[in-house]
Amino acid sequence: MNSERPEPKYRWVARAVQDTYVQQSQPHTPLPTEQAFQKEFGVSRDTVRRALRELTELNLIYQVQGSGTFVAQRHDTVKAPSLRSFTEDMKARGHRPQSVTLSCHMVEAPPLVARDLVLDAGAKVIEIRRLRSADGSPIAFETAHFLPEAFAQLEPEMTGSLDAQLRRSGFSVESAVQRLSATNLTKEEAAWLEVPQGTAALRVEKVGFTGRGLAVESTQTLYRADRYDFEVRVER
């Protein structure tokens, strides 16, 4: 079993800056200088810069050359592709995340899931369906499939973080391949997301891999297109 890795310094600095400054300030409020953060947190300048870069990539702050760093204008639920969990992502944007488990049981792997997880026909997987909300309003309808051995118990603990349980079992998802496409919601999907049948939605299919390259998770999430956007940063 793999031991859980300690959190990098820049990550907890980023979280501290977010909690202490970003979430407590109005948009466009200037932040302390890098030197001030170095002194406050007792870390190197490189650590501070990595922390600020992470917050910038999350659209929580922005920098103006020669003027400093400022709190960004908050948007609703724009998500940059990353391995942050839904809960972490919503909290980072100042929303109150909620998750309701609709079902959790062992099933025969559907063909596409068997392909993603490199399983033989008829193999069993754990299927979990969840409704994800922010501030009490539904945003996403999720169907996830996991290798049974990915959890230390016979069944996942539905009141706890699935990501944390995977880490404890030595099956932490360290990388993923995501595919985004447009779709229209079925009657059941629309009912859960509280929109009319046929409403346009964003479908995100994800295959998660451990650090050893083992495919451990195959998830399909349907996001309400009127409340959720994905942002992709590209460079030449």
Side-chain angles (χ1 to χ4, degrees):
M1 183 178 297
N2 294 341
S3 58
E4 190 171 344
R5 297 177 180 177
E7 184 178 41
K9 281 186 179 181
Y10 77 90
R11 279 274 169 81
W12 66 255
V13 170
R15 191 169 60 250
V17 171
Q18 178 187 332
D19 293 343
T20 305
Y21 295 95
V22 177
Q23 292 187 352
Q24 308 300 324
S25 304
Q26 294 298 315
H28 314 302
T29 299
L31 294 180
T33 64
E34 292 180 358
Q35 292 84 353
F37 282 138
Q38 279 183 258
K39 184 176 180 180
E40 178 177 352
F41 299 116
V43 296
S44 68
R45 189 170 188 177
D46 180 66
T47 297
V48 171
R49 286 182 171 177
R50 291 186 68 183
L52 296 181
R53 188 182 309 127
E54 177 161 290
L55 295 176
T56 299
E57 291 174 352
L58 288 171
N59 296 318
L60 296 176
I61 63 175
Y62 66 94
Q63 295 177 317
V64 178
Q65 187 68 32
S67 297
T69 305
F70 303 83
V71 176
Q73 177 73 48
R74 283 185 184 152
H75 298 283
D76 187 17
T77 48
V78 178
K79 178 183 175 70
S82 70
L83 281 179
R84 286 179 179 269
S85 69
F86 179 87
T87 298
E88 292 170 333
D89 193 62
M90 289 297 98
K91 287 182 177 179
R93 283 154 180 76
H95 295 281
R96 177 171 51 87
Q98 295 170 296
S99 180
V100 176
T101 301
L102 307 176
S103 63
C104 175
H105 49 261
M106 197 81 73
V107 300
E108 183 176 309
L112 291 180
V113 172
R115 179 203 65 187
D116 290 342
L117 301 183
V118 195
L119 299 173
D120 294 330
K124 299 293 186 179
V125 293
I126 296 175
E127 180 186 87
I128 303 172
R129 299 204 310 167
R130 295 188 290 180
L131 182 65
R132 319 306 294 270
S133 303
D135 303 325
S137 179
I139 286 182
F141 180 76
E142 176 186 280
T143 303
H145 294 91
F146 297 91
L147 296 181
E149 59 266 30
F151 295 95
Q153 320 91 305
L154 292 178
E155 293 184 358
E157 174 53 58
M158 288 296 95
T159 59
S161 165
L162 293 180
D163 288 342
Q165 293 177 66
L166 290 172
R167 287 196 298 270
R168 288 196 297 269
S169 300
F171 288 87
S172 174
V173 174
E174 300 294 338
S175 65
V177 174
Q178 290 185 321
R179 180 175 182 269
L180 283 67
S181 60
T183 189
N184 295 98
L185 297 172
T186 66
K187 182 177 181 180
E188 179 192 15
E189 295 161 352
W192 285 116
L193 293 175
E194 299 180 2
V195 293
Q197 180 180 352
T199 295
L202 183 65
R203 179 171 58 204
V204 179
E205 298 169 334
K206 182 182 81 171
V207 181
F209 299 87
T210 67
R212 304 185 301 276
L214 174 68
V216 69
E217 170 193 358
S218 175
T219 298
Q220 176 187 274
T221 308
L222 299 171
Y223 292 97
R224 278 182 50 167
D226 62 333
R227 294 204 59 204
Y228 216 89
D229 294 325
F230 270 74
E231 183 176 275
V232 181
R233 178 178 178 178
V234 295
E235 297 179 2
R236 184 175 297 280

